[in-house]
Amino acid sequence: MSTLWLFLHLAGFTMWIGGGLGAMFAGIASKKEERAAMGAVVRAQSVVYKSVIGPGALLTVLSGLVLTLLYSGKVTGPTAWLMVMQGAGIVGGLLTLFISVPTSAKLARLDPMGQAAAYFDELRARQKVVSMIAGALALAALIAGALSR
């Protein structure tokens, strides 16, 4: 049973971090595009957020909580690395699920050239900062998890 949860945990953070890297590089590459093309870029990023990053973050956090409950009686005591992994993973996952994914959905509905251009730029800046923080926390959790073994 714990092997299944560990597989789901690994699959989840692979989706989360891999999708995040893909969305990040698409955003970097889009800087060379004209403003009119930004709508297509954020719509594509929104699909990645809704179908890969969000489910990956959710799967990672939920399976991590289940693994914590499964192993709570078997581990002699939590290590510092284990606590860093859990804390960074939960905070990064919550940032992803409650800020990054909804922000990407809002961005996908806006026209970068229309009346909401200023709001589009504001949301894009928020998306960039929050996703960077969530990605750094996910990476910190991944490294801490590797060091806790």
Side-chain angles (χ1 to χ4, degrees):
M1 183 67 161
S2 63
T3 305
L4 172 67
W5 287 108
L6 185 59
F7 170 77
L8 292 173
H9 196 63
L10 295 172
F13 78 70
T14 302
M15 291 169 61
W16 180 12
I17 293 175
L21 286 171
M24 179 185 72
F25 284 114
I28 291 169
S30 72
K31 289 182 181 182
K32 298 175 185 172
E33 299 298 323
E34 294 181 23
R35 182 148 178 101
M38 294 305 294
V41 172
V42 296
R43 284 191 301 275
Q45 285 177 322
S46 179
V47 170
V48 172
Y49 270 94
K50 287 188 277 188
S51 61
V52 180
I53 298 171
L58 181 64
L59 187 60
T60 303
V61 170
L62 292 179
S63 62
L65 292 172
V66 170
L67 285 168
T68 298
L69 294 174
L70 287 175
Y71 289 121
S72 63
K74 298 176 184 173
V75 178
T76 57
T79 65
W81 292 116
L82 182 64
M83 292 190 311
V84 168
M85 178 184 67
Q86 291 173 331
I90 288 173
V91 173
L94 292 176
L95 284 173
T96 299
L97 292 170
F98 291 113
I99 298 176
S100 292
V101 173
T103 301
S104 74
K106 286 179 193 173
L107 273 167
R109 291 189 301 264
L110 293 176
D111 180 16
M113 301 292 287
Q115 292 178 343
Y119 185 53
F120 180 87
D121 292 337
E122 178 187 330
L123 284 179
R124 196 154 149 81
R126 179 190 312 165
Q127 180 77 343
K128 188 186 323 180
V129 170
V130 172
S131 294
M132 219 168 24
I133 293 169
L137 288 169
L139 189 58
L142 176 63
I143 292 168
L147 293 175
S148 71
R149 301 229 169 238

